[in-house]
Amino acid sequence: MTSEITLFVNPTAGRGRGAHAAQPAASALRDAGFSVRTVLGSDAPDALRRAREAVRGGTGALIAVGGDGMISLALQAVAGTRTPLGVVAVGTGNDFARGLGLPVRDPSAAGRSVAAALKGGDIREIDLGRVVPGGAGPDGAGAGRPGERWFGSVLAAGFDSRVNDRGNRMRRPSGRLKYDLAMIAELATFRPLPYRLSLDGGPVREIEATLVAVGNGPSYGGGMRICAGAEPDDGLLDVTVVGACSRTTLVRVFPKVYRGTHLGHPAVSSYRVRRIELQAAGVTGYADGEPLGALPLAVECVPRAVRVIGC
């Protein structure tokens, strides 16, 4: 493997932690003998274009510095390639790194960990979720179809995604408090929604539900273990369905999500699938915290889709 690697940086991640994290991470990698090139980009599409250029150019690794949004962007560049992904997690949620047991909010330690793993060949192949908008059935073909997205943690569709929608429209406050307030506002008006689900190509199920989450990893939202049993290398996606329930029940169940004990509640059902097609009117899908667009969506698990350093 070449000693030239690429640091893929979001300077605004974690309210500025991304910019501060790049330097110690780069120093740790250079101290280990690697030649480090930094990629920024004027916006997300430009950053992704530059990351893909680095991958096509044969960089030895793409090291994402930022939060789950930055890692999501990096996944679009490395999924389906042999280029390994390193993670310096300094965002607000850091669910991808947390789910793989990687350092969180410690850029020096993360840089040293990536360097040691690269030198030792400590690279793990994990699955990814692949999303096709419009409900078109995934067919196992290669990446690059219009609108296709990869995700490493959880796809959200329902009450949770509406909280994201509302939070993204709010200018104040910042950070987690904004989404806490958005959740309270959504609780005041939310009703269960009609969904149409197809699991592994089976018959369409028409249900009413509060939310449907599809997990390649266990958590989203900074540690909410909505798909607590999900394993990133078992070739399957974990689907959690919170059925039709009252606001009172939802408020009682919600705190259990941080421990993953909500899965035992009678209102919650879970499945393991290779593929799911999901429809619901007026619902935006989010994957790794990033908006995908309106349902319907089709999602499949792609085994060993990305090589992750040091996990």
Side-chain angles (χ1 to χ4, degrees), residues 188-310:
T189 60
F190 189 79
R191 299 290 185 276
L193 299 169
Y195 286 82
R196 290 167 58 86
L197 307 179
S198 175
L199 307 178
D200 283 332
V204 172
R205 307 181 185 198
E206 298 190 2
I207 63 170
E208 282 207 340
T210 301
L211 65 85
V212 178
V214 183
N216 182 62
S219 72
Y220 63 0
M224 293 187 286
R225 296 176 57 80
I226 188 70
C227 298
E231 296 288 347
D233 57 2
D234 63 358
L236 297 170
L237 300 167
D238 281 38
V239 179
T240 299
V241 178
V242 179
C245 61
S246 67
R247 287 193 294 273
T248 300
T249 298
L250 186 58
V251 169
R252 287 175 178 168
V253 172
F254 180 76
K256 299 176 183 288
V257 174
Y258 286 96
R259 301 185 300 276
T261 55
H262 64 292
L263 295 177
H265 193 279
V268 179
S269 303
S270 58
Y271 310 90
R272 284 192 169 143
V273 302
R274 290 180 173 84
R275 169 182 168 183
I276 177 172
E277 295 186 36
L278 178 60
Q279 301 179 47
V283 176
T284 302
Y286 282 78
D288 293 339
E290 299 299 304
L292 298 170
L295 272 57
L297 298 170
V299 190
E300 70 173 345
C301 180
V302 180
R304 301 180 300 279
V306 66
R307 306 172 72 224
V308 182
I309 300 165

Side-chain angles (χ1 to χ4, degrees), residues 173-197:
S174 61
R176 290 288 300 274
L177 180 57
K178 177 168 67 173
Y179 292 96
D180 290 342
L181 293 176
M183 182 180 298
I184 292 169
E186 279 299 317
L187 275 171
T189 60
F190 189 79
R191 299 290 185 276
L193 299 169
Y195 286 82
R196 290 167 58 86
L197 307 179

